[in-house]
Structure formats: C-alpha cells, structure tokens
Amino acid sequence: MNAAVGYCSQHIPPEWIAAHGLRPVRIVPSMVENTPIEESEGLCDFMRGFFNSIETNEVDAVLSTTVCDQMRRGFDLFSSERTKPVHLFNQPALWKRSSHLKLFRYELQKLTPFFKKLGGIPPTNEMLKESMLYYEKKRIDELHRRNKRVSPEKHSIGIGLIGGPITKNEQKLLNKIMAKGTHILFDSTEYSCENAPIRYDRRALLESAFDHMTQQWFETNHAIYQRPNTKFYRWLQKKIRETNPRALILNRWIWCDFWSGETERIRTFSPVPVLILDSNHNEATERNRTRILAFLESLQQEVSPF
Amino acid sequence: MKQLKTLSINEWNRQYQQLKHAISEPPFGGDLLRHFSDGDTRLQAIKMDPSPEALNLWNFLLTEEGRLKEAKNRGTTLIGTMKDLGTVPIMAYSCENTIAFYPDGAWWIPCIMELSAGLFQIADAMGIDESFCPVRAMLGAFANENHFPHPDILICSTGAVCDDFSAIAQRLEGMGHPIHWWEIPRRSSTVAPINLPGNNKAESVQLELVKEELITVKEAIEQITGEVLSDKRLSCGIKKANHLRSLLADLRETVFRADYAPLPALELLICEMFIIHYCSDYNWACTIIGDLLDRCKKRIATKQGYFGTDAVKVFWVNPVADLKAMNILEESGGRICGSDFLFTHALDQIPTDIPPLDALSQMALADPMVGPTSERAQRIIADMKRYGSEALIISKIPGASHCAIEGKIIAETVAKELNLPTLEIEIPPLCDSMEPSIRTRIEALVESVRTESLF
C-alpha cells in the first residue's frame, strides 16, 4: 500500500500529497497520550495531541507546519525522538508581497524530495490536475453534505463557527447539540473544508496545475496567524453579511496566543453574540457542553419569549 | 583578592554625594535616587556596582524615555522596531538624525516601576491577560502614552517569532498603529545551505527572501527619513555595529574568564541589552561599555572582584523579567559565566565582505529564536565549554510561548552532552513572592556543583 502522510494544517493541499502517489491522512487527535510530549504549563493540548497521536495513527511520515510557536517547538521535541520521517513546512505569515507567495511555492516544491523518500513520484501536470479535481469534488461534496444535514427548521438558530481545530470529541458534541434547533451556517475552524479553494479554474489547470494550486491555496488562506490578519476579518464580515447568523462560536485552545489575542477584538467586531469555548483535551468537553447549551438557551429565549 | 561590595540605592546616593564633585558626568548623569522618586521603585530592591562607570550605565538606561522625548522634540526621526532584536536598528542608525528603539523594552516597566504604571491592567482590559508574556506591557505603554514618544514608524518581524509578540503586535495595529511587517522564516538548512554568523546554516532561498523583506524595510525607512540608504551608508552602519559588538565581546570575555567576577551579573545583562539598539544613543553606548571594560581590566589587574573563587560558574539562558533575579543568583553563590539572552545573533560580528543587505539577512536568520531549539542548545554547549560553565539556569519567561518546550530541550541536551546540572525557573516581573523558592533552588544547584567538585 502507498505510504500514508499524516498532517494537520489547513494550508497543505492534500491533492499535492496524493499527486505523488501517497495517501494524505489528516490527523485529528481524539485523546492525549502523555508521550513524547508531556503535559506542562504553557503547552497547547492540540499540539500535544497531534504529535502524541502520531504513533497510534497509521501513518508512515508526518508533515508539520511553522504556523505557531507551539507547533514549531513541538516539532523540535518530536523530531529529536522521532520514530517516523518528519518534515516541517514553512508557512509564510505574510501574504501581501510576491516574495511570500514565492516562499509558499518553494516550500511546496521542497516536499517532493521528502515524498520521494517515502516512495512518492513527482507528479506530471496531468496527475496533479486529476488529484486537484478529485479533492475539489470531495470538498464540494462535504459542503453539500453539511448543508443538507443542517437544513434549518423553523426557529432554528444559525451559528457561525470560527477558531482553532475541533477534535473528534468536540465534533461529536457539536453534532449532538446542533441537531437540537440549531444549524451551522459557516465553519472556518481549522479543519474545515471552507478554508480550502472551492473551485479550480479548468483553463489554468491545463496551463500549470502546480502554479494554479499554489496561487489558489495561498490566496484562499485567511488564517488568524497571518500578518496583518485583515483577510480573516474581511472573510468574517462577508460570511456574516451573507449568512446572517444569530451568534458566533469561537473555539480556542488554551495557550493559543493567536486566537486568545484576537478574542476581544472579535467580540467588538461581531454584530452578534460570541461564545468563547476554551478547549483542552482533558477537561473542556463537559464544561463546553454546558456553556453551549446555556448560550443557545439564551438565544432561543430571544427568539421566542414563551 | 580585594572583595568588592555592591551598593543599595541609598548607599549609592551617599556615595554619590561624596563623588559628584570629583567625577565628570554625562548629560544624563545625576544621582540614582531621582529615578526612584520618578517611580522606578524596583531600584530599592536591587544591589548595584559601586563604580562611577556603573553609575553612568544605570543613568543611561533609566533616562532612555526622557532622551527619546527630547529627541522627538528636536525633530529626530524615531523608528519603533519590534521583535527582530538587532537587525533593523543597524539600518536605522545608518541614517542621520534617526533613532531606533524597541517598544518591546516596555516589558521591564512593570518590574522597574513595581507594577505601579498599570500597564498590565490596560493589557488585561484588552483581553491580553497573564497567559501572555510580560511584553504585553507594551500595549499599555502605547495606550497611555506615558513612557515613550510615539515612533514615526513601527517595523515588526513576524513568521518564526514568538506567538505572544506576534499576537500583541497585531492588537497594536488593531489599535490604529500601522506596522510595516517583514517575514523571518523558520531557519532551515536542508537545501543548499549557506554559513551564517554563529555557526548556523540557512537555505539560500531563505536568505533571498529575507533580503527582499529587508529591502522593503529599507524603503520604508528611506520614505520616513527622506534619506537614501545606500550600500555605503549601510556598510558604515554595520561597521559601527561591529565596533560596539567587539567592545561587548571583549567585556564578556573579560568578565567570564576572570578568576573573580569583576562586574556583577546585573550590570553585564544591561550592557548586553544595549547591543540591540544602543539604548537609543550609539556614541554613549560605546563610551559606557568601553569604560566598564576598562574598569573591569583595572579590577583584574589590581585583584579586585566579587565573590571568591568558589562562586559557581553559571550559564544563564533567557532574559529575566525581574532584574533582582541576577542579584539572587550571586547571593546564592553563583556568578554568570556565559549567557544567551535571546539575541546571541546580535553579539556576533556581521560579515563585511559581502553586500550589506546580504550580511544583514544572514544576521537576521542567525537569530536563535528562528531556528531549531537544538541549534540554540548547541551554541549554548559550545559557549559553556568555552567559559568553563559548571551549571545551566534557564529562566522561563511567564506566558512566553517558546518557553514551554525549549527549556526542556536545552536542559536535556546540555545534561546529556556535558553531564552538568541544569535548573529551569520561572521569573515573574516581580519575583518577591517566589524569592524563597527561587533562592532555595539556585542554592541547591550551587550546592550540587560544589559537592560534585569534591569528588
């Protein structure tokens, strides 16, 4: 079987991994093992969960990114005790100048030698194009599935989801809660397919699939860690205007400086109430369930006082 | 050896009354007690070197805000440079009538003013709470405008920098302070590596990117100052930086290698901090470090110094949020022999045989914070061997994103390769409440080294 490459970033195109004949596996940590990165004050549980669950995930290699200090330092620790090949993808924080796109492109190209060591083959334009179209369809299907699943009932409350990645446990919790009179209008948490390019330009694919993929993934990125983070706010404003949510839920991981730093600003920016969920693997779910239910209850009372 | 004794601020004031007619003082000179009266109350808790050169050092440090305000009033261009710790100021000081300073330096205000400035409360109110590192004080300083004049431009590096700083700088921009951002990528050396100062390597593509970024910084500085930053000017700026770096290198070597410490750790820490932006005045920074170097050499020649030969030689990692921690180390039987205060790239000589922007790109990428922690650990090990350090102390900066993991990696690497004791301690901006615990832990470290040396 082809080698599986585990990754977590929303900014690494899975189609690029797959075009090399490898299997992209997005690692969604569901629990925190305590090795190799032990619990300690200041450590993000998501980062720990990602690196610590690599052993239990059936992946042959790992792709991490430089988006935050936690992931960079986690990589440092993990790579010193590694049992599997690891690669650190240098994700630019800036986005306005052509040099930043050039860096992103260079980092994608740098993946090819890493993939070759795992048995991957540098893709032709045709191979990459097919891979891109396959993943494009996959993402569109996912969006359709979600929209179908959450078709609103009368008085159902529309929610916008933003923030850091949502793990399996929290996804289950959200699904349960959302089934009861609420629906998600948009989701830009870090695992969401809404952060990836939706439709590729067919003509551009024929010219150079790699160039088009690079451009699209770079431009679509509106992550909170970008500097300045104006793209995130523009995106959020557009989504709020288009979908008219009753509230936002912001999922932030404890010790995540990027989301914590912007929380107050998001509250001020948002025309609707914002619920902040503080996530860590071990304690948050129950507390978050209560907080979500109380929040939704207060919103429902606003809809119907009876 | 003639044992020297550090002075409290009151002792210094009594000495100053006797000294003042016999010494020639710089324009920022005067007694230290005035800074205490102005709100720098932490001075009462620390002990200082008794030399006139140290007096100048303290006065130079504690008058920086005032000197910046005077410069602004004179029409000097002020460049607020953030995070890169040493690179952009070299470009700024290549211009005439321009001063670069680090608003990041506000992280010491809560310590120096013993929290009386209320900067953390302002940051708290903006949602930047104690889960962030003390550099959050910078937000408060910008908001209340009581500490430094508003710079004409803000320039901040981002990318492989600490998340706390990046998040706080972003909030600053959100407050209406535009920032010229430039990218510093995480240093990597897997493809076509090029040697950097400090024995690191970076990929040629990364160097190209940083150079392109620094060109945008250069253009921004040119626009604000109305001056052209030619290669010739930048080369002069690099030459000036290298001169001060060689003075500081000489001072460090002199202090670290001496049998008895000729200068306390606190004064040496402040000298090291000067290197990143010259404490807003290049000429005086050179004079002060040069004078302290002369003083140290005289002390060594006349066998004067602090502590006995049994003081344990400690390598210190990361700057301390509370200056008093340096005193505590020495009172517990240690002395500093080697340091990495997060800007070792600003200690190395900048290459002069390549175009200036290439040299500055190399310097920026040599930053220990942008590379793998293992590379930082290797430099620490090399320096510990060089200075004969007997133990390692890593001071954690409260809330700092990089401190949660890097200390463990550095401590484990040092313990494995050098078989020396290590200690990781958190130093908050005011460490009084934790002082007994910090003191006990350092004493235990010192004790373990002394016990080991008996066998």
Side-chain angles (χ1 to χ4, degrees), chain A residues 117-173:
Chain A
K117 283 185 200 157
L118 303 170
I121 300 160
T124 60
N125 198 65
E126 190 57 28
M127 285 155 75
L128 179 57
K129 190 190 91 182
E130 276 178 28
S131 180
M132 287 165 72
L133 293 176
Y134 172 77
Y135 278 92
E136 178 195 81
K137 184 175 180 311
K138 218 175 153 188
R139 285 190 287 267
I140 291 170
D141 288 349
E142 196 181 325
L143 268 177
H144 283 162
R145 259 200 316 278
R146 196 195 71 198
N147 291 342
K148 203 172 155 190
R149 197 170 57 226
V150 297
S151 56
E153 299 156 4
K154 200 182 173 190
H155 298 313
S156 177
I157 293 171
I159 298 285
L161 263 183
I162 55 174
I166 289 178
T167 57
K168 284 176 189 165
N169 290 345
E170 289 189 318
Q171 191 61 57
K172 273 186 213 159
L173 169 72

Side-chain angles (χ1 to χ4, degrees), chain B residues 272-333:
Chain B
E272 291 206 24
M273 299 305 294
F274 286 178
I275 206 69
I276 58 173
H277 75 286
Y278 318 145
C279 199
S280 302
D281 189 325
Y282 173 78
N283 291 329
W284 275 111
C286 290
T287 304
I288 285 167
I289 292 179
D291 289 350
L292 275 166
L293 174 61
D294 291 344
R295 169 65 65 179
C296 288
K297 285 180 175 170
K298 274 182 210 155
R299 282 177 174 172
I300 291 168
T302 53
K303 296 198 184 315
Q304 295 180 59
Y306 291 95
F307 334 116
T309 43
D310 67 337
V312 168
K313 296 177 173 180
V314 171
F315 191 101
W316 194 282
V317 176
N318 291 338
V320 285
D322 187 349
L323 298 174
K324 194 180 177 188
M326 296 281 98
N327 284 167
I328 295 174
L329 166 75
E330 293 171 335
E331 288 160 10
S332 307

Side-chain angles (χ1 to χ4, degrees), chain B residues 7-20:
Chain B
L7 303 180
S8 69
I9 189 166
N10 288 325
E11 288 167 330
W12 234 121
N13 193 46
R14 282 195 289 277
Q15 175 174 282
Y16 179 77
Q17 299 310 321
Q18 294 164 357
L19 264 182
K20 64 182 178 187

Side-chain angles (χ1 to χ4, degrees), chain A residues 69 72 76 94 97 102 106, chain B residues 161 203 212-213 373 401:
Chain A
D69 232 347
R72 285 196 298 274
D76 284 347
L94 298 186
R97 295 190 281 272
K102 205 162 87 182
Y106 169 71
Chain B
V161 303
E203 291 172 16
E212 284 182 46
E213 295 293 288
T373 311
S401 55

Side-chain angles (χ1 to χ4, degrees), chain B residues 408-440:
Chain B
K408 177 181 157 71
I409 297 175
I410 294 169
E412 283 179 358
T413 314
V414 167
K416 195 172 154 192
E417 293 201 21
L418 298 180
N419 195 26
L420 290 175
T422 65
L423 174 66
E424 195 171 2
I425 42 174
E426 184 167 284
I427 308 285
L430 283 183
C431 69
D432 298 338
S433 61
M434 292 167 71
E435 188 179 330
S437 141
I438 292 170
R439 201 175 279 277
T440 307

Side-chain angles (χ1 to χ4, degrees), chain B residues 24-165:
Chain B
S24 98
E25 288 195 82
F28 47 82
D31 68 305
L32 292 174
L33 212 52
R34 74 188 198 279
H35 303 298
F36 176 82
S37 308
D38 287 346
D40 297 341
T41 50
R42 196 60 176 161
L43 293 176
Q44 202 175 36
I46 57 178
K47 294 284 184 74
M48 291 167 272
D49 183 85
S51 66
E53 293 79 11
L55 174 72
N56 288 347
L57 174 92
W58 281 105
N59 273 325
F60 187 51
L61 174 76
L62 297 169
T63 55
E64 188 180 12
E65 289 174 3
R67 288 186 286 110
L68 283 171
K69 282 174 192 157
E70 283 170 21
K72 177 93 176 175
N73 291 340
R74 281 196 310 271
T76 305
T77 305
L78 296 187
I79 295 180
T81 174
M82 303 196 289
K83 195 68 208 94
D84 65 290
L85 301 182
T87 307
V88 173
I90 295 172
M91 301 170 80
Y93 283 102
S94 300
C95 299
E96 287 176 14
N97 200 28
T98 301
I99 289 175
F101 74 101
Y102 280 93
D104 325 16
W107 89 300
W108 264 339
I109 296 174
C111 161
I112 296 281
M113 300 188 75
E114 296 193 314
L115 304 178
S116 63
L119 302 187
F120 283 161
Q121 286 92 324
I122 297 173
D124 282 342
M126 296 171 73
I128 306 292
D129 58 17
E130 69 276 9
S131 69
F132 288 84
C133 97
V135 83
R136 67 197 177 102
M138 180 179 78
L139 272 186
F142 269 96
N144 73 12
E145 298 180 356
N146 286 341
H147 297 279
F148 45 75
H150 197 277
D152 297 291
I153 185 174
L154 284 171
I155 298 172
C156 184
S157 61
T158 191
V161 303
C162 72
D163 295 347
D164 300 78
F165 200 91

